[in-house]
Amino acid sequence: MNENDQLLEAKELIDSHLNDTIDEELSAADLAQHLRTVKKHDEELFAEYIEKLEPEILGDVAIELPDHMLKDVIETLPSEKIIEAIEELESDDAAELLEYIEDIDEQKAKELFDGLDRDDQEEILRIRSYDENEAGAYMQTELFSANLQEKLQSAVDRLRVQKENGELENVSQLFIVDEEQILRYAIPLEDLILFNFNSTLKDIIARSEEDKYKPHVAVDNEPIEDVVERVQDYDMNSIAVVDSKGVLLGRITTDDIHDFIQESATEQIYNLANVGDADEEEEDSLIKATKSRGIWLFINLFTAIVSSSIIGLFDETIASYVALAVLMPIVASMGGNTGTQALTVTVRKLTLGDIEFKDAKDVLKRELSIALLNGFIFAVMMGIIASIWFSRPMLGVVIGASMLINLFFAGFFGTFIPLTLKKFNIDPAVGSSVLLTTVTDVVGFFSFLGLAKWILL
């Protein structure tokens, strides 16, 4: 599909959404994507569409837009409409959108925040009081809760009203608290139809199996990574967030968990490539993006000089045996690829929380076994090829032994480097590839040229 067709399709879908003539309503993410397409070709039409969006969907769409488009939104629309859109969002999304706006225009963010009602302000301030890696920063304060002494019928009636008013979404369980608002139980909605609606929740719990409705919780200041792991382990739709005393504060839903996992995965991919923050990379100016990448390229240049200095130590060896210059890149390349494989797998497992530094022995054992097995296979293969290619059997022995050595160290350091960085609370994705490339190049060149000098000359 060419660009004109993409634009026509985007305009047709947005128009259908605005006129309510589309069979299936577009999601906020879909609308944002179509608006991106429109903005590329027609700035005025983009502004018209933004002005026509209802506050009920505007906030959700704004969160999905990149910074430069969000800037257009806050400059185009009156503050009153943006405030209304923020108030339509769930508390966690409202806090997130205000944070995005603050990064663009701090004064505008303050103006919008001051325009919110007091309850919304308090909820946003509570969420933003947490560090970005704490569970509380990801919670929403809207939830379905009831007191132990309350009748089930009363709780269900309240839920019906909240759903009709659009105050609650993605409700999967009823959180039951005592008089001091301490969370005691969590009942899945599907179980509520089994009970007598005229009974109190306390009586219902008393007649249930012991600990059946004991809730899984996230403490507000614990690392979000631990919460994500717990939600995945127990396959939960949402998890309650409590403070250190057990007081119910909010909940974290699966869509928040999904967003965190996606953002973390994207960030790891960008970090492995040493191109900086994912969001910044998407929207940075040419100069800023070039500078961000250039820092790591400068570090890589320095490590490349170190690798080249190894070659310089054996200049006479290479001069007297030209075939070595032809085969050197093969040794380094195979080592680099092997190390990258081990590095990628290890970083992924660290990110998902599958392994820690204490598991280093088992992880190293596995990766070294794979590296040695592949090393042996490709050492024999390349040894035979080199022997036939240059009619020197001992050259095949040299490159074979060198590849085996290099692949072993590549597997070792591809695993050890990210584990060590994680041990010292350094992001294992940042800088690992540069360090690994240096190791595989130095070991590869030194072993290959060193063995060649020892055996062939």
Side-chain angles (χ1 to χ4, degrees):
M1 184 182 296
N2 60 44
E3 289 192 357
N4 286 333
D5 290 338
Q6 290 177 349
L7 176 60
L8 289 174
E9 181 185 26
K11 290 169 61 177
E12 181 181 344
L13 289 171
I14 296 174
D15 287 334
S16 298
H17 174 85
L18 294 174
N19 298 323
D20 202 20
T21 58
I22 193 169
D23 293 334
E24 185 176 345
E25 187 175 349
L26 292 175
S27 68
D30 289 335
L31 270 173
Q33 185 59 48
H34 295 316
L35 286 169
R36 285 180 185 228
T37 302
V38 170
K39 182 174 172 57
K40 285 181 182 178
H41 300 84
D42 194 330
E43 294 273 356
E44 292 184 2
L45 183 59
F46 168 75
E48 289 179 18
Y49 280 146
I50 289 297
E51 291 174 351
K52 291 179 180 179
L53 287 179
E54 295 295 327
E56 290 79 10
I57 189 67
L58 175 60
D60 291 311
V61 171
I63 290 177
E64 301 291 338
L65 295 176
D67 286 354
H68 73 279
M69 292 177 68
L70 180 57
K71 182 179 180 181
D72 290 341
V73 171
I74 62 178
E75 291 177 349
T76 301
L77 298 181
S79 297
E80 292 76 15
K81 184 172 184 177
I82 301 175
I83 290 171
E84 189 178 351
I86 294 173
E87 290 178 338
E88 290 289 337
L89 293 171
E90 293 174 332
S91 53
D92 58 332
D93 291 334
E96 184 177 13
L97 179 54
L98 267 176
E99 185 176 353
Y100 291 160
I101 294 174
E102 187 176 50
D103 291 339
I104 298 170
D105 187 337
E106 190 172 341
Q107 186 60 39
K108 185 71 172 182
K110 185 180 185 305
E111 176 190 340
L112 297 175
F113 178 81
D114 291 341
L116 299 172
D117 64 48
R118 189 169 184 82
D119 289 340
D120 288 330
Q121 289 180 349
E122 290 177 353
E123 290 175 352
I124 291 171
L125 286 174
R126 180 190 302 173
I127 293 170
R128 294 194 63 179
S129 67
Y130 296 98
D131 291 337
E132 63 178 1
N133 66 331
E134 292 181 329
Y138 291 84
M139 73 174 178
Q140 56 184 238
T141 56
E142 299 85 1
L143 44 76
F144 179 31
S145 64
N147 190 279
L148 271 169
Q149 306 302 327
E150 188 175 1
K151 288 187 177 181
L152 177 57
Q153 182 67 60
S154 173
V156 171
D157 288 343
R158 187 169 63 258
L159 173 63
R160 184 181 299 111
V161 173
Q162 289 177 310
K163 289 291 290 183
E164 288 175 352
N165 295 336
E167 298 173 13
L168 275 180
E169 295 180 7
N170 302 321
V171 180
S172 60
Q173 46 189 336
L174 167 60
F175 298 116
I176 302 175
V177 298
D178 62 17
E179 291 79 3
E180 297 179 349
Q181 297 301 305
I182 293 176
L183 179 63
R184 298 300 183 188
Y185 307 98
I187 303 179
L189 289 193
E190 60 189 25
D191 284 11
L192 295 183
I193 61 173
L194 304 174
F195 307 129
N196 184 343
F197 276 39
N198 291 319
S199 297
T200 65
L201 294 169
K202 182 177 182 180
D203 290 338
I204 290 172
I205 294 297
R207 290 193 292 268
S208 302
E209 297 177 17
E210 186 178 2
D211 292 338
K212 181 178 182 180
Y213 297 117
K214 182 178 180 181
H216 296 286
V217 301
V219 181
D220 58 345
N221 59 0
E222 74 173 302
I224 184 61
E225 293 86 357
D226 295 346
V227 179
V228 170
E229 185 177 353
R230 196 172 310 134
V231 170
Q232 291 177 321
D233 288 345
Y234 291 99
D235 195 24
M236 292 183 284
N237 292 320
S238 65
I239 185 171
V241 180
V242 300
D243 65 14
S244 58
K245 296 179 180 179
V247 174
L248 180 63
L249 301 176
R251 62 175 179 151
I252 297 176
T253 58
T254 49
D255 61 325
D256 300 314
I257 298 295
H258 177 268
D259 290 344
F260 173 79
I261 293 173
Q262 187 176 45
E263 290 170 5
S264 297
T266 303
E267 184 178 358
Q268 293 296 328
I269 292 171
Y270 273 75
N271 284 338
L272 277 173
N274 300 130
V275 294
D277 181 79
D279 293 331
E280 292 180 1
E281 178 66 22
E282 291 291 337
E283 305 303 331
D284 273 350
S285 66
L286 180 63
I287 294 176
K288 190 173 180 180
T290 302
K291 180 181 178 182
S292 175
R293 300 191 193 188
I295 293 172
W296 286 105
L297 289 174
F298 177 79
I299 295 173
N300 190 70
L301 175 62
F302 176 76
T303 58
I305 293 173
V306 173
S307 301
S308 297
S309 66
I310 298 297
I311 299 175
L313 296 175
F314 297 94
D315 54 350
E316 293 181 1
T317 304
I318 297 172
S320 58
Y321 211 96
V322 180
L324 298 177
V326 177
L327 297 174
M328 268 196 312
I330 298 175
V331 178
S333 176
M334 291 296 292
N337 286 330
T338 299
T340 300
Q341 289 172 348
L343 175 65
T344 303
V345 171
T346 305
V347 168
R348 180 180 181 276
K349 288 182 176 180
L350 285 169
T351 302
L352 296 176
D354 292 341
I355 59 173
E356 296 178 1
F357 188 79
K358 64 182 181 180
D359 304 310
K361 183 178 179 180
D362 294 333
V363 179
L364 281 169
K365 183 178 179 181
R366 171 180 169 78
E367 291 301 326
L368 287 177
S369 298
I370 295 172
L372 281 173
L373 183 58
N374 277 329
F376 178 77
I377 293 172
F378 289 102
V380 172
M381 185 185 303
M382 195 60 221
I384 294 172
I385 292 173
S387 298
I388 297 173
W389 189 357
F390 294 99
S391 303
R392 289 289 300 268
M394 292 309 296
L395 180 59
V397 172
V398 168
I399 193 170
S402 178
M403 286 185 65
L404 186 60
I405 293 170
N406 200 22
L407 266 62
F408 171 83
F409 280 100
F412 176 83
F413 284 103
T415 307
F416 184 74
I417 289 173
L419 282 169
T420 303
L421 292 177
K422 184 69 173 180
K423 173 69 174 178
F424 292 100
N425 295 319
I426 301 172
D427 188 345
V430 178
S432 291
S433 58
V434 173
L435 296 174
L436 179 63
T437 300
T438 304
V439 170
T440 54
D441 285 352
V442 168
V443 172
F445 294 147
F446 190 83
S447 61
F448 181 56
L449 297 175
L451 287 171
K453 183 176 183 179
W454 179 42
I455 296 174
L456 298 177
L457 300 179

